[in-house]
Amino acid sequence: MLDFPRWKTIGISIILLLGIIFSIPTFLPQKTMDSLPSFLQAKVNLGLDLAGGSHLLLEADIVDLRKTQLANMEKTVRTAMRGESGPDDDIAIGELSTAGGKISFLVRDQTKLDAARERLFSETQGAGLTGQRDWSINVIDSARIVMTPTSAGQAQAVKNAMDTARDIIDKRVNALGTREPTIIREGDDRVVVQVPGLDDPAALKELIGKTARLEFRMVDANADPAEAAAGRVPVGSEIVPYAEGEGSGAPFEVLRRQVMISGEQLIDAKQSYDPQNNQPVVSIRFDSGGSSTFAKVTAQSVGKRFAMVLDGKVLSAPSINEPILGGSAQISGSFSVASANALAISLRSGALPVKMTVVEERTVTPELGADSIRKGAIAGIIATVSVLVLMLVVYGRFGVYACIALAFNVFLIIATMAAFNATLTLPGIAGFVLTIGAAVDANVLINERIREELKRGRKIFQAVELGYSEASRAIFDANVTNVIAAALMFWFGSGPIKGFAVVLTIGIVTSVFTAVTVTRMFVAHWLRTKRPTSINI
Amino acid sequence: MRLLKLVPDDTNIDFLRWRKVASFMSFFLVAVSIALVAVKGLNLGVDFVGGQSVRVEFTQGMPPIDEIREKVGDIGLGEATIQQFGSDKAVSIRTALPDGDKSAAERAGQQLVSGIQKAFPTAKTGSVETVSGKVSGELIRTGAISLGLAILGISIYIWIRFEWQFGVGALGRLFHEVSLTFGLFAVTQMQFDLNSVAALLTIVGYSLNDTIVVYDRIRENLKKYRKMEIVPLLNLSINETLSRTVMTTVAMVLALGMLLLFGPDVIFGFTAAMLFGVFIGGYSSVLMSTPVLVWLKVGPHSFVPRTTAGMDGGERVERKDDGAVV
């Protein structure tokens, strides 16, 4: 007990000092923090439930993704069969169907069956590390080719789509200019978006919820409106509804299926005003390929109408008065400045490869958050002070040591959390309270034990020694069980429970260290230098 | 300076004398809690049932709850659950999960907020939560799994570190604490959400500390006083740790009481649950967690390594059957 080697004292002091140094930035305002050296920039983040902000959980529509995947493959099949070197190279196919999530078609000339398979084979790819291809190609009835997506291929497609979606959402949220948003993938098909300080998530949802798939398509002038209303349209055309609040007269347009230009060919989109009526519009610019296509098509189709389609809804369908040559166009619709801006951002960042739906939303206004923090801090201080006073009144000098250790414990928890860049949430505070309780309890155990040993007539040094060693066993067991609980909660729990587990784990380690090792150092030092003949505990 | 002693020296209270009463009371309370949860049910928050919840603060005097209920009903999202929230100016308004696809909850959330703003222009909406049915189901599942596994893992550790009887005792005690806390949530109809699960886990953790401290002392005394009968030995162990139990409980009550009085209202339910847990914990460590050891016939033999005992019969202490009969 008394031989507390110098290196240990120095080691402990260094740890405590580091604890204080690294916990300081957390208490400093952001401005002061920015002027600190970079290794001191780490601080504890406050969770959105404390600081205010929005948390959104988005889930991908996998069914929709499969549909898109199938539609794309259908297109690929058509192109592949058309051949590269002119009509001679074509492989005639028929009865192309996408029913049941498979692509099935007839090869008219059976001698070309192998060639058709060959072409499809080069269009499909290996999926992941398994060596499995993303589509399996089978021939049935000696003339029909059936393509089925493999499970590895589907998993790969979801993964790719989610990675892209995450990046696109990241771009969009950052374009809002908000401070330190967090965008992470969760599970197979989800993305979490957290934006601190944002109290109106409507704009955010508007922005990231849009798939932003933009298409320019020709209006089918041959379609008979009466027939179309009954749901009958010419081959190669389809009915596309108007977006909410758009269009006049008919609620839909009959459009050619073929897409003239799509959003991928955009190089820029920004919000501007229509010079004629000063309405907010979105100005877009195409890349060179897009520009020439646009010029060619509009030159051929003067007097006809084309439609701008966003996410499967028609925004507007103007007539082409003259060829549009400059490679730029305006998307008009009933926009406000904000919604036009949001659309511009969405278009700039690209279309989401899959439709995303908000399945969970939590928003706390910054005022409420600030109020919680202020009251929480005051209550925390009052609570801590009253516990400290109690320790002092009950254990005297030993209580003082316990109090100092407790203060260090708080610093160490904060420093460790800052080092890991952990986030403190409301349940995290519960974990904090529990570890403080455990630290107090450890000192109570030790001190009660010392009292007991003194009562049994042991000498001071021996009583202190025994107090620490005997109490340590119970302290150890109690804390290991808590770590077990925390680890299980971390692995199996979700959001808030995880936050609780993180703080608990950190707190258990630091509280054992401060409540046992640090107080022991103080006590040993005191006993060695003062050699008291009686102790008051 | 004379130091304060919360518990006088050398207490010798026969706690185990009340073990039948205490056990009966515990069984009774657990049964009542389970019945309450079954009959009244828990006031589950949107985390667990899905739906949307908005916290509204009335800056210029709160209208009567009935008026709020009526106006919220007019929004057309069905019956709303309206609950006072900590202070007397704030309420939480919750409506059920709407039918439809998973984006329905999100749309209903917006509808609720705009509806409230229209009905009460001066009110401020402090926080909005919408959770879809699928997510809430997952949250229930992960919450229950993590709680269950934590309790199980802890009991297994205690079984390994001590003896199986202690593991059973700890399991029983944790079950006791958790049921009673659920009972509290059922009887007060405090909202039960993910934060409540955190409170529950804190109670489990705290109760655990208590159990271990008492059990550790019992294990120590079992090795020390080989010939003592189990009931007096348990009494001795409880008395020896009594001052610690009281001191720790007082410290926790003090700390939580302050958080309850001065803390932000968002942690009110949470602190209240923990405070309750501390009270049950104090009762449990004194009166509830030891009778199990009597029934399960813990004795000095429990800690003598069996192989050694077999080879070296002289060391073996006879089991006192009379001490193990309830």
Side-chain angles (χ1 to χ4, degrees):
Chain A
M1 175 73 214
L2 287 187
D3 57 315
F4 210 86
R6 180 172 289 271
W7 65 267
K8 245 188 180 172
T9 313
I10 293 172
I12 292 169
S13 310
I14 289 175
I15 294 175
L16 296 182
L17 197 67
L18 286 177
I20 293 181
I21 291 174
F22 283 100
S23 56
I24 288 173
T26 299
F27 298 105
L28 296 176
Q30 189 64 38
K31 250 191 250 161
T32 327
M33 257 208 40
D34 292 337
S35 60
L36 291 174
S38 62
F39 72 95
L40 276 176
Q41 298 261 343
K43 62 189 274 186
V44 178
N45 300 314
L46 285 175
L48 299 181
D49 52 350
L50 293 176
S54 287
H55 160 110
L56 298 179
L57 180 65
L58 299 148
E59 191 174 79
D61 188 342
I62 299 297
V63 177
D64 176 66
L65 179 68
R66 300 248 183 283
K67 265 190 222 157
T68 320
Q69 206 188 342
L70 202 63
N72 287 343
M73 188 41 83
E74 187 195 348
K75 248 186 242 167
T76 310
V77 169
R78 285 184 195 280
T79 340
M81 294 306 137
R82 215 172 286 138
E84 285 165 4
S85 49
D88 300 346
D89 205 19
D90 283 1
I91 300 176
I93 57 167
E95 293 179 29
L96 182 64
S97 107
T98 55
K102 296 173 182 176
I103 293 179
S104 145
F105 60 91
L106 208 61
V107 178
R108 302 231 186 260
D109 183 352
Q110 282 196 23
T111 57
K112 288 189 177 167
L113 195 67
D114 282 339
R117 261 185 70 178
E118 200 60 36
R119 286 189 193 176
L120 291 178
F121 209 67
S122 61
E123 292 293 341
T124 57
Q125 282 148 23
L129 299 168
T130 53
Q132 212 184 351
R133 302 188 71 76
D134 53 359
W135 292 78
S136 67
I137 305 166
N138 297 303
V139 178
I140 56 168
D141 302 339
S142 71
R144 179 172 287 279
I145 291 181
V146 177
M147 299 177 70
T148 325
T150 63
S151 58
Q154 292 193 330
Q156 186 67 31
V158 172
K159 194 185 166 295
N160 291 346
M162 290 307 292
D163 285 338
T164 317
R166 199 216 77 91
D167 290 343
I168 289 171
I169 292 172
D170 196 290
K171 268 191 221 161
R172 292 186 186 175
V173 176
N174 277 308
L176 265 187
T178 42
R179 196 164 50 88
E180 296 172 42
T182 314
I183 296 125
I184 40 171
R185 281 194 50 192
E186 193 180 83
D188 291 335
D189 56 357
R190 290 182 179 164
V191 175
V192 176
V193 179
Q194 294 189 320
V195 188
L198 186 83
D199 65 341
D200 176 24
L204 181 68
K205 282 191 292 192
E206 168 82 3
L207 188 64
I208 58 187
K210 252 201 187 79
T211 312
R213 204 178 284 154
L214 180 71
E215 292 165 347
F216 285 74
R217 290 156 66 172
M218 294 306 295
V219 172
D220 190 342
N222 299 329
D224 176 4
E227 288 276 293
R232 283 185 296 272
V233 290
V235 178
S237 294
E238 65 180 335
I239 295 174
V240 180
Y242 266 100
E244 222 168 293
E246 306 291 345
S248 49
F252 60 85
E253 290 285 350
V254 178
L255 303 183
R256 304 288 307 168
R257 276 181 195 273
Q258 199 193 349
V259 175
M260 203 157 78
I261 309 180
S262 69
E264 283 106 72
Q265 284 158 302
L266 283 181
I267 45 173
D268 194 20
K270 58 176 185 282
Q271 184 266 320
S272 62
Y273 295 92
D274 188 331
Q276 269 149 32
N277 55 14
N278 225 15
Q279 286 293 306
V281 292
V282 179
S283 302
I284 52 175
R285 237 157 25 94
F286 296 112
D287 59 14
S288 57
S291 309
S292 61
T293 318
F294 202 42
K296 207 162 76 191
V297 176
T298 50
Q300 285 166 0
S301 322
V302 172
K304 293 181 183 163
R305 287 164 65 220
F306 73 100
M308 299 180 205
V309 183
L310 182 70
D311 293 344
K313 304 254 169 75
V314 179
L315 282 181
S316 57
S319 298
I320 302 169
N321 298 325
E322 56 192 82
I324 302 171
L325 302 172
S328 62
Q330 270 178 6
I331 304 175
S332 53
S334 26
F335 290 124
S336 65
V337 174
S339 66
N341 196 31
L343 177 59
I345 293 173
S346 307
L347 289 175
R348 271 208 304 272
S349 53
L352 284 178
V354 55
K355 209 155 92 189
M356 305 288 290
T357 321
V358 178
V359 287
E360 188 189 336
E361 178 201 330
R362 291 165 201 276
T363 302
V364 174
T365 55
E367 301 98 74
L368 180 61
D371 192 47
S372 299
I373 294 181
R374 205 189 56 247
K375 279 192 177 158
I378 294 171
I381 290 168
I382 298 175
T384 316
V385 169
S386 31
V387 172
L388 295 185
V389 169
L390 179 71
M391 293 295 279
L392 233 104
V393 176
V394 175
Y395 299 119
R397 172 181 291 276
F398 285 75
V400 175
Y401 294 149
C403 292
I404 297 171
L406 209 57
F408 276 125
N409 186 29
V410 173
F411 285 124
L412 281 177
I413 295 178
I414 292 171
T416 315
M417 288 187 71
F420 285 122
N421 224 343
T423 303
L424 185 67
T425 57
L426 200 53
I429 291 179
F432 211 93
V433 173
L434 180 58
T435 53
I436 297 289
V440 170
D441 189 44
N443 280 118
V444 169
L445 276 169
I446 294 167
N447 295 343
E448 287 294 334
R449 195 71 193 216
I450 296 174
R451 274 186 180 177
E452 239 178 278
E453 298 297 335
L454 284 172
K455 226 159 46 190
R456 287 194 185 134
R458 304 231 195 251
K459 296 212 174 63
I460 292 169
F461 294 167
Q462 210 184 359
V464 173
E465 177 75 61
L466 275 172
Y468 271 91
S469 61
E470 294 293 311
S472 293
R473 202 178 45 237
I475 296 171
F476 174 81
D477 274 332
N479 285 294
V480 170
T481 38
N482 267 320
V483 170
I484 293 174
L488 290 169
M489 284 178 238
F490 187 77
W491 278 322
F492 298 100
S494 49
I497 297 176
K498 269 204 168 97
F500 174 77
V502 169
V503 180
L504 187 58
T505 314
I506 295 173
I508 287 166
V509 177
T510 59
S511 75
V512 170
F513 173 72
T514 52
V516 181
T517 314
V518 174
T519 58
R520 194 181 173 130
M521 181 178 80
F522 290 135
V523 173
H525 180 74
W526 172 64
L527 288 179
R528 204 167 44 201
T529 49
K530 288 274 160 24
R531 305 239 160 219
T533 49
S534 73
I535 55 175
N536 190 12
I537 185 167
Chain B
M1 184 176 84
R2 235 182 75 83
L3 297 175
L4 177 72
K5 282 205 168 117
L6 292 177
V7 175
D9 288 344
D10 298 319
T11 50
N12 189 14
I13 307 167
D14 186 5
F15 287 111
L16 269 280
R17 208 182 66 188
W18 296 309
R19 67 177 185 272
K20 279 185 189 163
V21 183
S23 306
F24 175 76
M25 206 163 94
S26 291
F27 272 118
F28 178 73
L29 287 177
V30 167
V32 167
S33 300
I34 293 173
L36 273 173
V37 173
V39 175
K40 284 192 83 168
L42 294 170
N43 176 10
L44 292 172
V46 289
D47 290 343
F48 295 134
V49 287
Q52 42 286 321
S53 163
V54 178
R55 184 186 185 282
V56 184
E57 204 171 316
F58 295 95
T59 40
Q60 297 165 352
M62 194 169 92
I65 297 276
D66 284 339
E67 189 195 328
I68 302 176
R69 192 181 309 279
E70 197 179 304
K71 288 199 170 165
V72 173
D74 291 344
I75 300 172
L77 290 167
E79 183 80 10
T81 313
I82 298 171
Q83 210 168 22
Q84 201 123 349
F85 204 89
S87 71
D88 51 358
K89 299 183 300 186
V91 289
S92 102
I93 299 173
R94 215 165 77 222
T95 51
L97 193 66
D99 294 330
D101 56 1
K102 52 190 176 178
S103 59
E106 185 207 334
R107 284 197 301 273
Q110 279 165 355
Q111 213 177 323
L112 183 58
V113 173
S114 54
I116 290 169
Q117 275 160 355
K118 209 189 279 170
F120 306 101
T122 55
K124 278 195 293 188
T125 47
S127 71
V128 184
E129 289 177 276
T130 66
V131 180
S132 80
K134 188 180 171 196
V135 173
S136 66
E138 282 169 31
L139 292 177
I140 289 193
R141 214 170 42 244
T142 56
I145 289 176
S146 53
L147 183 64
L149 282 178
I151 292 178
L152 207 65
I154 289 161
S155 302
I156 292 173
Y157 176 81
I158 293 178
W159 165 41
I160 293 168
R161 277 287 287 177
F162 293 77
E163 269 306 312
W164 67 271
Q165 292 96 332
F166 292 82
V168 174
L171 191 64
R173 177 172 174 175
L174 294 180
F175 179 73
H176 175 248
E177 248 87 313
V178 171
S179 325
L180 258 53
T181 314
F182 271 121
L184 173 82
F185 274 100
V187 82
T188 57
Q189 288 292 303
M190 270 190 315
Q191 185 165 310
F192 191 83
D193 50 25
L194 273 178
N195 287 340
S196 315
V197 176
L200 210 57
L201 291 168
T202 315
I203 292 168
V204 166
Y206 171 78
S207 155
L208 206 65
N209 264 18
D210 263 13
T211 315
I212 301 238
V213 170
V214 177
Y215 283 5
D216 178 71
R217 185 54 74 101
I218 293 171
R219 174 171 61 183
E220 191 186 325
N221 284 340
L222 278 170
K223 287 177 185 161
K224 204 148 103 192
Y225 308 110
R226 294 236 160 158
K227 297 224 159 80
M228 195 187 269
E229 286 178 21
I230 186 69
V231 173
L233 188 136
L234 293 181
N235 265 329
L236 175 74
S237 308
I238 299 172
N239 275 295
E240 280 180 351
T241 49
L242 190 62
S243 51
R244 172 265 158 195
T245 309
V246 172
M247 175 66 191
T248 302
T249 308
V250 170
M252 284 298 272
V253 168
L254 210 58
L256 290 172
M258 296 303 154
L259 287 183
L260 200 67
L261 283 178
F262 303 106
D265 47 14
V266 278
I267 65 168
F268 183 87
F270 183 79
T271 326
M274 287 209 285
L275 196 56
F276 178 74
V278 170
F279 276 117
I280 321 172
Y283 156 76
S284 293
S285 45
V286 173
L287 286 169
M288 192 258 152
S289 54
T290 44
V292 184
L293 300 179
V294 182
W295 302 332
L296 297 176
K297 300 194 187 343
V298 168
H301 55 281
S302 300
F303 287 101
V304 178
R306 278 168 203 98
T307 47
T308 340
M311 285 184 293
D312 189 3
E315 271 292 301
R316 187 159 178 176
V317 178
E318 279 299 312
R319 175 195 293 188
K320 297 285 180 192
D321 268 331
D322 49 349
V325 172
V326 182

